[in-house]
Amino acid sequence: MEKEYESFSQEDTCALGEKLGREAAAGQVYTLTGDLGVGKTVFAQGFAAGLGVTEYVSSPTFTILQIYETGRIPLYHFDVYRIADVSEMEEVGCDEYFYGEGVCLIEWADLIREILPENCVHITITKDPEKGFDYRKIRITE
């Protein structure tokens, strides 16, 4: 199943993330792809808010994984932009999180496609400059 949404602001993107976060269940893996600056982290902040996470959510680019446990279920927030080889994910113990008690949200997930679980929810964010600077199309595929 595929759904498309339009976002005209960071607030719209955050609100959609929050909606998905409220609906998320333990054991789910969400992939988040799109170019630099499209709003992946803004989406992640909304997603975390939907889970009830009270901490500030930033992109874990240099740490690869940030764990938030203040929400109704743990959030395992990955940013794999700096992964040079998929084997680095094994060093992080990714399977423990992919099949764990929380929900995974993986930014730049296309870089580790070959190790992702089969039943991921794929979220792709794209820009369309013709529709405005802040416009985003957000496609969710289950």
Side-chain angles (χ1 to χ4, degrees):
M1 179 169 72
E2 183 173 291
K3 295 180 183 176
E4 279 193 6
Y5 298 89
E6 291 184 304
S7 170
F8 296 92
S9 66
Q10 287 188 357
E11 292 78 17
D12 288 350
T13 300
C14 189
L16 180 58
E18 188 171 346
K19 177 184 181 300
L20 261 64
R22 283 193 305 271
E23 297 168 357
Q28 289 182 310
V29 176
Y30 291 81
T31 69
L32 195 49
T33 57
D35 293 337
L36 276 172
V38 296
K40 292 183 297 295
T41 301
V42 169
F43 185 94
Q45 290 167 339
F47 190 89
L51 287 170
V53 171
T54 56
E55 298 126 286
Y56 177 75
V57 173
S58 62
S59 191
T61 302
F62 294 101
T63 58
I64 300 173
L65 170 64
Q66 185 67 43
I67 300 171
Y68 300 95
E69 297 185 288
T70 58
R72 61 181 173 80
I73 55 176
L75 170 60
Y76 310 127
H77 182 200
F78 289 86
D79 182 327
V80 299
Y81 182 73
R82 300 207 181 277
I83 293 287
D85 187 273
V86 174
S87 64
E88 292 178 50
M89 288 298 290
E90 293 165 6
E91 293 171 20
V92 174
C94 62
D95 282 351
E96 174 184 335
Y97 300 104
F98 290 173
Y99 305 101
E101 298 297 312
V103 60
C104 289
L105 182 64
I106 308 166
E107 294 188 43
W108 298 98
D110 51 323
L111 299 175
I112 60 164
R113 185 177 298 123
E114 61 267 29
I115 65 165
L116 292 172
E118 283 187 29
N119 299 333
C120 295
V121 176
H122 301 283
I123 303 159
T124 305
I125 305 175
T126 55
K127 293 181 183 182
D128 185 346
E130 291 182 14
K131 293 190 177 185
F133 180 78
D134 291 324
Y135 176 85
R136 302 293 187 266
K137 182 189 298 182
I138 303 172
R139 181 179 301 125
I140 301 172
T141 308
E142 295 183 44

